[in-house]
Amino acid sequence: MSQKPSIPKGTRDFGPEVMSRREFIFDTLKSVFRKYAYQPIETPSMEKLDVLTGKYGEEGDRLIFKILNSGDYLRKTKNFDFEQERASNKLTPLISEKALRYDLTVPFARFVAMNQNDLAFPFKRYQVQPVWRADRPQKGRYREFYQCDCDVIGSDSLLNDAELVAIYDEAFGALGFSAVRILLNNRKILAGTAEAAGVPDQLVDMCVAIDKLDKIGEEKVRQELGQRGIETASQDTIFEIISFEGDNFAKVEMLKKAFEGSEIGQKGVAEMEEVLNLLKFFPLSTAEVEFDLKLARGLEYYTGSIYEVKAVGVEFGSLGGGGRYDDLTGIFGVPNLSGVGISFGADRIYDVMEMLDLFKKVELPGIQAILINFGGDEFVASLEFLQRLRQAGIAAELYPDAAKLKKQFKFADKRNARYALSIGSAEKANGTVAIKDLKSGDQITLDQDAAIQHLLGH
Amino acid sequence: MSQKPSIPKGTRDFGPEVMSRREFIFDTLKSVFRKYAYQPIETPSMEKLDVLTGKYGEEGDRLIFKILNSGDYLRKTKNFDFEQERASNKLTPLISEKALRYDLTVPFARFVAMNQNDLAFPFKRYQVQPVWRADRPQKGRYREFYQCDCDVIGSDSLLNDAELVAIYDEAFGALGFSAVRILLNNRKILAGTAEAAGVPDQLVDMCVAIDKLDKIGEEKVRQELGQRGIETASQDTIFEIISFEGDNFAKVEMLKKAFEGSEIGQKGVAEMEEVLNLLKFFPLSTAEVEFDLKLARGLEYYTGSIYEVKAVGVEFGSLGGGGRYDDLTGIFGVPNLSGVGISFGADRIYDVMEMLDLFKKVELPGIQAILINFGGDEFVASLEFLQRLRQAGIAAELYPDAAKLKKQFKFADKRNARYALSIGSAEKANGTVAIKDLKSGDQITLDQDAAIQHLLGH
């Protein structure tokens, strides 16, 4: 009769403690987004299948969770010969019209295309919602996870590109990070590099290979470039450019010369220089900005700025990334809207904050006080005091039964309450409250007004 | 090539204005839940299909959205004869293992069963997440909507039942309602009524019929009771009880006599009396509590208290409801945990708040200031002032291009910004800012410090 329950692999339950940490991350990001005048939107968890397919490559299409049509979904399969072609990919369009969203970017583009007449452009939106991917579950990779995106659409201005760096800086500072590295590059600079190396048509091959430089080293990257038909002389030019050492503006000057014969390369350098100049007006407190000539992110739809954030002090992958993409909404019939946006990887940020012990620094909301239940008249006095605590904004509860004191104190401990409060017969007679600090073990008895002030930290 | 996009029927996009109102509702509810020492949890959007099926009745099972297994989902159908039995309901278990959650109660029960050793009981949790139902879409009924639930599990104490009334009261007050009606009843009182009428085995028939009293009137309810085999004498007893007029405690006294021969009825009255007595210690500011002998809610799993909230001043259905259910987790192998909980219908609350014009009363966050972009040196001065505004916590943005002034002011209007700020050449020279109040049309020029104070409302 009874089931031993479990949850689907790659998904998670979040209990109170984890939730309060996650909510701290989400609330912090949202408040920074709002300060920069980004506005919230939400889109449905389900999109029509044809809105999603073809946007994430062949592998991406496979990882989209499809939803079975409701009712008798086989009614549309009358002409489908199951004996001849028992092929899932051919059957799917007949029995599934909807799917769970795979990211927040395509739904955002769809939203803009559908609501273009009601929106004021440039439109700055943030969106914090879960996405679903049928990835093979593994450590740190989930089938349901939150994305936190902010994007500006309908503006070519590089002020937006610079401001997104400031948002990263302010957000990570507000989360308690003492330092992060923001890597910046520009797709046009990568294209210029390929042109300077005489392999303009092998931009993607080049990006895929140099994306692995950190992991496999120069020799193996050169091997891979060779296998992809990029010859040694070209390899030399590529490495001369991407290995250049110097500060951000020295890189700009180097590229101006290297890209003399590349129009797109020059445009990329000019954009980067403008972003770096604009950033002088954004006093960064947490982030170090590094113009990283190797940053490629392997994503084909970026056309301008490219971002990536890395933690400092722990070995860890990216905490977020983004970039500029021209014509994001073209596929939905609305051409010529350029967008630039960044994403925060909430799950990775959570993990790094744990590794760096940052949750200790931030004050997380929790149960502040548990009133011990003595029953009888003391119960009534405790119930009345409970109202006063809550009116003062103190998260408090009264143990619901007059159980044994030991049991009640054990409960208060397990509940991670800050204080256990007792109004026994003596306290009731004197109008006082006994306060036990469950962290330090200290006890103190105060009259009711003073007790409230004490709990409020005054 | 390009698609004209749309969203699945029964789902919605939420733009910035609607979002800020929805977030006000969610944030308000969460802050009340926290004050009453409820703690947040979240469960995955997907549950295993067998966790959900069989919990919501036959109709409910049909309305659960099933997720197609990923990869080659037909591989498990080798022995399924599509020609002989092309039946969706037989095929489903072979091609779908997961489904979208249908409510928050079953996932909560599953969560408690799986995490019972880590939880401190009584466990008070709140949960604010979307649920999905393949209902026929219609006005006010959606296929994706948020539920906002708070429940206590692992305690029989009626203090919990009373406190949930206080939560309803405080939450609706905080949302800006000047009045709501909270209807209270108890499943055992309904059972007592059936016993007193001599039809103890027809409790469900009785509840289904009297649930329609408001809509169809006494005569038709009597017809229906008759059709279900409840005779006139029994009908008379039922109506004598449920039509009784008097205040809440008068109803208690009446029932004590009417239920002299019904043990379960007496227990129900005793519970109701205790809840009403406990409520004397919870000073309600917004809600009127009405012991409603007709309240049945047609839900079979309630075993004690039953709640329903109704708006005052507009004709509208329920804004929320709930009840006590014994043995919620028994189905998952953890017996003897009694729970009591309530739910807030966020979409309905939103609609009623619009009807009652309550969003005007509450201060919704929005863009406070847009700085006009004059280009050149004024652009730099504006960019510097932008930093100061944001440091002061003012949500502000600088128009990203030095576009025509008319275009920029039109944008500020469409964006619903509160103020448009200009630093032109004169203001730059004087260290001042021209402030246009976009609501009133008033203009004023202040020096920068005073401008910030002005925008902060000081």
Side-chain angles (χ1 to χ4, degrees):
Chain A
M1 274 275 294
S2 86
Q3 303 174 344
K4 195 171 166 63
S6 61
I7 55 175
K9 60 183 176 177
T11 69
R12 295 164 290 172
D13 282 324
F14 300 113
E17 204 185 342
V18 176
M19 273 299 290
S20 65
R21 293 172 173 205
R22 287 173 63 86
E23 287 188 342
F24 168 75
I25 294 174
F26 295 135
D27 290 346
T28 301
L29 295 181
K30 287 177 185 174
S31 74
V32 174
F33 296 154
R34 277 195 293 267
K35 209 158 124 181
Y36 282 76
Y38 285 71
Q39 295 186 302
I41 73 161
E42 277 187 12
T43 61
S45 301
M46 303 171 177
E47 293 279 350
K48 290 194 167 171
L49 197 49
D50 58 6
V51 164
L52 301 184
T53 42
K55 312 297 188 299
Y56 307 107
E58 212 175 300
E59 173 69 0
D61 280 357
R62 260 200 302 277
L63 301 183
I64 293 170
F65 277 112
K66 285 103 187 165
I67 295 164
L68 209 47
N69 292 341
S70 38
D72 177 21
Y73 55 84
L74 283 174
R75 68 186 177 278
K76 285 189 188 164
T77 65
K78 292 212 174 72
N79 298 320
F80 189 80
D81 186 340
F82 284 95
E83 294 312 308
Q84 288 298 314
E85 36 179 8
R86 199 168 280 220
S88 297
N89 57 347
K90 287 186 186 166
L91 180 61
T92 304
L94 299 177
I95 64 173
S96 168
E97 288 167 356
K98 293 182 290 290
L100 294 175
R101 71 173 159 253
Y102 182 85
D103 73 356
L104 302 178
T105 304
V106 169
F108 173 52
R110 196 263 313 137
F111 174 90
V112 171
M114 278 177 70
N115 297 282
Q116 52 175 314
N117 296 326
D118 302 322
L119 298 174
F121 292 103
F123 178 56
K124 298 166 96 174
R125 85 89 171 77
Y126 70 84
Q127 192 170 355
V128 177
Q129 288 191 282
V131 301
W132 295 269
R133 295 182 185 181
D135 253 325
R136 185 183 299 273
Q138 50 181 278
K139 195 174 156 25
R141 182 173 294 182
Y142 305 103
R143 291 186 148 191
E144 173 177 44
F145 58 97
Y146 271 75
Q147 287 195 336
C148 312
D149 283 16
C150 63
D151 292 78
V152 195
I153 193 162
S155 167
D156 296 323
S157 168
L158 296 170
L159 179 60
N160 300 309
D161 302 54
E163 212 165 64
L164 290 170
V165 173
I167 289 178
Y168 265 145
D169 175 74
E170 183 154 352
F172 281 102
L175 287 170
F177 285 77
S178 56
V180 292
R181 284 167 62 216
I182 301 179
L183 309 180
L184 275 191
N185 200 3
N186 189 302
R187 187 76 181 182
K188 298 185 185 85
I189 290 174
L190 291 164
T193 304
E195 282 196 7
V199 290
D201 297 336
Q202 285 180 283
L203 172 58
V204 174
D205 285 335
M206 183 193 85
C207 288
V208 169
I210 67 176
D211 211 26
K212 301 177 186 164
L213 190 57
D214 275 354
K215 279 187 192 152
I216 62 176
E218 178 170 339
E219 200 173 332
K220 290 203 170 151
V221 169
R222 277 179 178 268
Q223 271 177 25
E224 192 170 324
L225 289 170
Q227 283 158 8
R228 290 167 185 264
I230 297 176
E231 295 183 8
T232 311
S234 295
Q235 292 174 23
D236 290 346
T237 307
I238 292 169
F239 274 98
E240 204 177 319
I241 291 173
I242 67 173
S243 308
F244 178 85
E245 299 209 354
D247 70 17
N248 294 341
F249 283 100
K251 286 174 185 164
V252 167
E253 294 309 317
M254 177 275 290
L255 289 180
K256 281 181 181 171
K257 282 169 204 145
F259 288 168
E260 268 173 0
S262 166
E263 199 183 326
I264 192 166
Q266 284 176 39
K267 191 155 192 314
V269 179
E271 288 182 9
M272 178 61 73
E273 188 173 20
E274 187 175 341
V275 170
L276 292 172
N277 277 324
L278 283 167
L279 277 173
K280 292 177 186 164
F281 299 102
F282 291 89
L284 306 184
S285 62
T286 305
E288 191 197 337
V289 174
E290 187 182 327
F291 176 12
D292 179 357
L293 292 155
K294 300 180 294 293
L295 181 67
R297 284 185 65 81
L299 286 167
E300 283 191 62
Y301 55 84
Y302 291 136
T303 52
S305 298
I306 306 174
Y307 307 83
E308 186 161 308
V309 183
K310 299 223 176 226
V312 171
V314 285
E315 273 305 311
F316 206 86
S318 150
L319 299 181
R324 178 176 282 279
Y325 30 80
D326 292 337
D327 203 25
L328 177 67
T329 54
I331 188 93
F332 296 120
V334 182
N336 303 323
L337 282 180
S338 178
V340 59
I342 55 173
S343 189
F344 290 79
D347 289 295
R348 287 160 163 271
I349 290 171
Y350 185 100
D351 289 344
V352 171
M353 287 181 69
E354 285 221 312
M355 291 161 82
L356 296 172
D357 218 6
L358 297 183
F359 288 115
K360 272 201 183 151
K361 282 197 215 163
V362 300
E363 205 176 319
L364 297 169
I367 307 305
Q368 287 162 273
I370 289 185
L371 275 155
I372 301 300
N373 190 332
F374 290 89
D377 288 347
E378 291 84 0
F379 166 73
V380 171
S382 300
L383 194 47
E384 284 166 347
F385 187 58
L386 177 65
Q387 312 302 335
R388 297 195 54 200
L389 289 170
R390 288 180 179 159
Q391 271 159 25
I394 295 167
E397 70 178 322
L398 172 58
Y399 194 84
D401 301 291
K404 284 193 178 148
L405 291 189
K406 196 177 161 188
K407 185 179 176 187
Q408 293 192 51
F409 274 98
K410 202 175 152 192
F411 170 80
D413 260 340
K414 197 165 181 186
R415 192 91 155 77
N416 275 322
R418 183 79 174 83
Y419 299 101
L421 309 183
S422 303
I423 300 181
S425 55
E427 290 85 1
K428 182 177 176 296
N430 299 329
T432 57
V433 188
I435 302 172
K436 183 174 182 184
D437 184 324
L438 296 173
K439 259 192 206 164
S440 66
D442 294 345
Q443 301 215 38
I444 183 174
T445 297
L446 296 173
D447 70 50
Q448 292 197 358
D449 288 335
I452 289 171
Q453 294 303 312
H454 183 76
L455 265 58
L456 287 171
H458 299 311
Chain B
M1 272 277 293
S2 86
Q3 303 173 343
K4 195 169 165 63
S6 60
I7 54 176
K9 59 183 177 178
T11 70
R12 294 163 290 171
D13 283 324
F14 299 113
E17 203 185 343
V18 176
M19 274 298 292
S20 65
R21 293 171 173 204
R22 286 172 65 85
E23 287 188 342
F24 168 75
I25 293 173
F26 295 136
D27 291 346
T28 301
L29 295 180
K30 287 177 184 174
S31 74
V32 173
F33 295 154
R34 278 196 293 266
K35 209 159 125 182
Y36 282 77
Y38 285 71
Q39 294 186 302
I41 72 161
E42 278 188 9
T43 60
S45 302
M46 302 171 179
E47 293 279 349
K48 290 192 168 173
L49 196 48
D50 57 7
V51 164
L52 300 185
T53 43
K55 312 296 188 298
Y56 307 107
E58 212 175 299
E59 173 68 1
D61 279 359
R62 260 200 303 276
L63 300 184
I64 292 170
F65 277 112
K66 285 101 186 168
I67 295 164
L68 209 48
N69 291 342
S70 37
D72 177 22
Y73 56 85
L74 283 174
R75 68 186 177 277
K76 285 187 187 164
T77 64
K78 293 214 174 67
N79 298 320
F80 189 80
D81 186 340
F82 285 93
E83 294 313 308
Q84 287 298 311
E85 37 180 7
R86 198 169 281 218
S88 297
N89 57 348
K90 287 186 184 165
L91 180 61
T92 303
L94 300 177
I95 63 172
S96 169
E97 288 169 355
K98 294 182 289 291
L100 293 175
R101 72 175 158 252
Y102 181 85
D103 73 357
L104 301 178
T105 305
V106 169
F108 173 53
R110 197 263 312 137
F111 174 91
V112 170
M114 279 178 69
N115 297 282
Q116 53 175 314
N117 295 326
D118 302 322
L119 298 175
F121 291 104
F123 178 55
K124 298 165 95 172
R125 85 88 172 77
Y126 70 84
Q127 192 170 354
V128 177
Q129 289 192 281
V131 302
W132 295 269
R133 295 181 185 181
D135 252 323
R136 184 183 299 272
Q138 50 181 279
K139 195 175 156 30
R141 184 174 292 181
Y142 305 103
R143 291 185 148 191
E144 173 176 45
F145 58 95
Y146 271 75
Q147 286 194 337
C148 311
D149 282 16
C150 63
D151 293 78
V152 196
I153 193 162
S155 167
D156 296 322
S157 167
L158 295 171
L159 179 60
N160 301 308
D161 302 53
E163 212 165 63
L164 290 171
V165 173
I167 289 178
Y168 265 144
D169 175 73
E170 184 153 350
F172 281 102
L175 288 171
F177 283 77
S178 56
V180 291
R181 284 166 62 214
I182 300 178
L183 310 180
L184 276 190
N185 200 2
N186 189 302
R187 187 77 181 181
K188 299 185 185 83
I189 289 174
L190 291 164
T193 304
E195 284 196 5
V199 289
D201 297 336
Q202 285 180 281
L203 171 58
V204 173
D205 286 333
M206 183 191 85
C207 289
V208 169
I210 66 176
D211 212 24
K212 301 177 187 165
L213 190 57
D214 276 353
K215 279 187 193 150
I216 61 176
E218 177 170 340
E219 199 174 331
K220 290 203 169 151
V221 169
R222 277 182 180 266
Q223 272 177 22
E224 191 169 325
L225 288 170
Q227 283 158 8
R228 290 167 186 267
I230 297 176
E231 293 179 11
T232 310
S234 296
Q235 293 173 22
D236 290 345
T237 308
I238 292 169
F239 275 97
E240 204 177 321
I241 291 174
I242 67 174
S243 309
F244 178 84
E245 300 211 351
D247 69 17
N248 294 341
F249 284 100
K251 286 175 185 164
V252 167
E253 294 311 316
M254 177 276 292
L255 289 180
K256 281 180 182 170
K257 283 169 205 148
F259 289 167
E260 268 173 359
S262 165
E263 198 183 325
I264 192 166
Q266 284 175 39
K267 191 156 191 312
V269 178
E271 288 181 10
M272 178 60 73
E273 188 173 21
E274 186 174 340
V275 170
L276 292 172
N277 277 324
L278 283 167
L279 277 175
K280 292 177 186 163
F281 298 102
F282 291 89
L284 306 184
S285 62
T286 305
E288 190 198 339
V289 175
E290 186 182 328
F291 176 11
D292 179 359
L293 292 156
K294 298 179 295 294
L295 181 68
R297 282 185 64 80
L299 288 167
E300 283 192 64
Y301 55 83
Y302 291 136
T303 52
S305 298
I306 307 174
Y307 307 84
E308 186 162 307
V309 183
K310 299 225 176 224
V312 171
V314 284
E315 273 305 312
F316 206 86
S318 150
L319 299 181
R324 180 175 280 279
Y325 30 80
D326 292 338
D327 204 24
L328 178 67
T329 56
I331 189 94
F332 297 118
V334 181
N336 304 324
L337 283 180
S338 178
V340 59
I342 55 173
S343 189
F344 290 77
D347 289 294
R348 288 159 162 273
I349 290 170
Y350 185 100
D351 290 344
V352 171
M353 286 180 69
E354 285 220 313
M355 289 161 81
L356 295 173
D357 217 9
L358 296 183
F359 287 115
K360 274 203 182 150
K361 282 198 216 163
V362 301
E363 205 176 320
L364 298 169
I367 308 305
Q368 288 161 271
I370 289 185
L371 275 154
I372 300 302
N373 190 332
F374 290 88
D377 288 348
E378 291 85 0
F379 167 73
V380 170
S382 300
L383 194 47
E384 285 167 347
F385 187 57
L386 177 66
Q387 312 302 336
R388 297 196 54 202
L389 289 169
R390 286 179 180 159
Q391 272 160 24
I394 295 167
E397 70 178 322
L398 172 58
Y399 194 85
D401 301 292
K404 285 194 177 145
L405 291 190
K406 197 179 161 188
K407 185 179 176 187
Q408 294 192 49
F409 275 97
K410 203 176 150 193
F411 170 79
D413 261 340
K414 195 163 181 186
R415 192 92 155 76
N416 274 324
R418 183 80 172 84
Y419 299 101
L421 310 183
S422 303
I423 301 181
S425 55
E427 290 84 2
K428 182 177 176 296
N430 300 328
T432 56
V433 188
I435 302 172
K436 183 175 181 183
D437 184 323
L438 296 173
K439 260 193 205 163
S440 66
D442 295 345
Q443 302 215 37
I444 184 174
T445 298
L446 296 172
D447 70 50
Q448 292 196 358
D449 288 335
I452 288 171
Q453 292 305 312
H454 183 75
L455 264 59
L456 288 171
H458 299 310

